[in-house]
């Protein structure tokens, strides 16, 4: 019975359809994701990987279909849904005039994070991505790789159950890629979920969903 319960999907996507402008990109897409699962989205450019992530994040409205969390349609309570997400897009989503620490703290406080947890978790997250020496530097002074490490640290810092990651390995050197994989494995081992669009091998066990080429009009 326990294994049956564990296998039940937390996230269920049913018959999802999305357009980019006037062009259909996704059509009748369905999948489920259980606790501890990673789903890697693959496919050629224009196949809808980023569009799917943005639809899941509530940044674009699907043309059809449903996204459910624990059996409840997330569209019924978008604020609660957003509180369960950690989003990493192509852009790092950081404020250039804020320091590394300030970016992490501000982002999580805007999500309503617990102050005590923030203070206790911050040193560990900075250490995991080798950001301690950069903690007081404004993000605008960082290299592309350092900014990407900061953006990934922000994802980990949220403690959100679902990570949505668009090309998370971009601009990362080998040690930073290892740090990301370690953080992702820990997230999954704790029952978290992750969906990552990628052209590279993530190096973490999971399922793969290959999206078809862009639908012609």
């Amino acid at each position: 019975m326990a294994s049956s319960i564990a296998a039940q999907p937390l996230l269920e996507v049913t018959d999802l359809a999305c357009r980019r402008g006037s062009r259909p990109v996704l059509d009748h897409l369905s999948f489920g994701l259980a606790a501890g699962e990673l789903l890697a989205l693959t496919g050629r450019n224009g196949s809808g990987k980023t569009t799917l992530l943005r639809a899941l994040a509530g940044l674009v409205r699907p043309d059809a279909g449903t996204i459910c969390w624990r059996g409840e349609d997330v569209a019924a309570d978008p604020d609660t849904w957003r509180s369960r997400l950690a989003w990493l897009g192509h852009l790092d989503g950081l404020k250039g005039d804020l320091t590394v620490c300030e970016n992490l703290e501000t982002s999580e406080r805007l999500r309503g994070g617990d102050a005590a947890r923030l203070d206790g978790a911050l040193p560990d997250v900075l250490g995991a991505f080798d950001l301690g020496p950069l903690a007081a530097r404004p993000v605008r002074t960082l290299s592309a790789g350092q900014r990407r490490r900061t953006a990934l640290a922000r994802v980990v810092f949220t403690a959100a159950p679902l990570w949505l990651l668009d090309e998370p390995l971009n601009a990362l050197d080998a040690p930073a890629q290892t740090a990301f994989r370690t953080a992702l494995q820990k997230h999954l081992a704790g029952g978290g979920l992750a969906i990552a669009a990628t052209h590279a091998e993530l190096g973490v066990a999971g399922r793969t969903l290959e999206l078809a080429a862009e639908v012609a009009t």
Side-chain angles (χ1 to χ4, degrees):
M1 179 65 72
S3 60
S4 175
I5 293 173
Q8 292 298 312
L10 294 178
L11 177 68
E12 293 180 276
V13 174
T14 305
D15 289 332
L16 198 72
C18 294
R19 291 176 172 266
R20 187 187 302 115
S22 61
R23 186 181 297 275
V25 181
L26 303 171
D27 189 32
H28 293 293
L29 179 65
S30 299
F31 64 87
L33 209 60
E37 282 196 300
L38 164 67
L39 183 66
L41 305 177
T42 64
R44 298 186 64 181
N45 292 339
S47 61
K49 299 184 298 296
T50 295
T51 299
L52 174 55
L53 288 176
R54 289 176 60 83
L56 291 170
L59 299 175
V60 298
R61 177 176 291 186
D63 294 287
T66 59
I67 301 167
C68 292
W69 179 261
R70 296 186 183 274
E72 299 291 332
D73 190 337
V74 303
D77 190 352
D79 289 337
T80 296
W81 175 234
R82 281 189 289 269
S83 73
R84 295 184 172 123
L85 305 175
W87 164 259
L88 176 73
H90 275 291
L91 300 177
D92 295 323
L94 304 170
K95 298 294 185 182
D97 289 334
L98 298 182
T99 68
V100 169
C101 272
E102 288 169 343
N103 265 280
L104 268 62
E105 291 171 334
T106 300
S107 176
E108 186 59 4
R109 286 197 168 97
L110 288 173
R111 293 180 73 256
D114 176 70
R117 189 195 71 79
L118 297 184
D119 292 340
L122 185 57
D124 290 340
V125 174
L126 292 173
F129 287 93
D130 195 23
L131 291 169
L134 306 175
R137 280 181 53 179
V139 162
R140 59 180 166 75
T141 69
L142 304 182
S143 70
Q146 290 168 338
R147 290 195 299 271
R148 199 62 170 174
R149 280 156 47 200
T150 301
L152 286 167
R154 178 176 52 78
V155 168
V156 176
F157 195 47
T158 65
L162 175 60
W163 293 1
L164 301 175
L165 312 170
D166 202 349
E167 299 292 350
L169 298 180
N170 276 1
L172 297 183
D173 59 18
Q177 290 185 25
T178 298
F180 162 72
R181 292 183 179 112
T182 299
L184 178 56
Q185 287 168 333
K186 183 177 179 180
H187 174 66
L188 299 173
L193 295 72
I195 302 176
T198 182
H199 285 101
E201 176 59 51
L202 292 175
V204 177
R207 295 159 49 200
T208 298
L209 175 62
E210 183 173 4
L211 299 179
E214 192 167 6
V215 180
T217 55

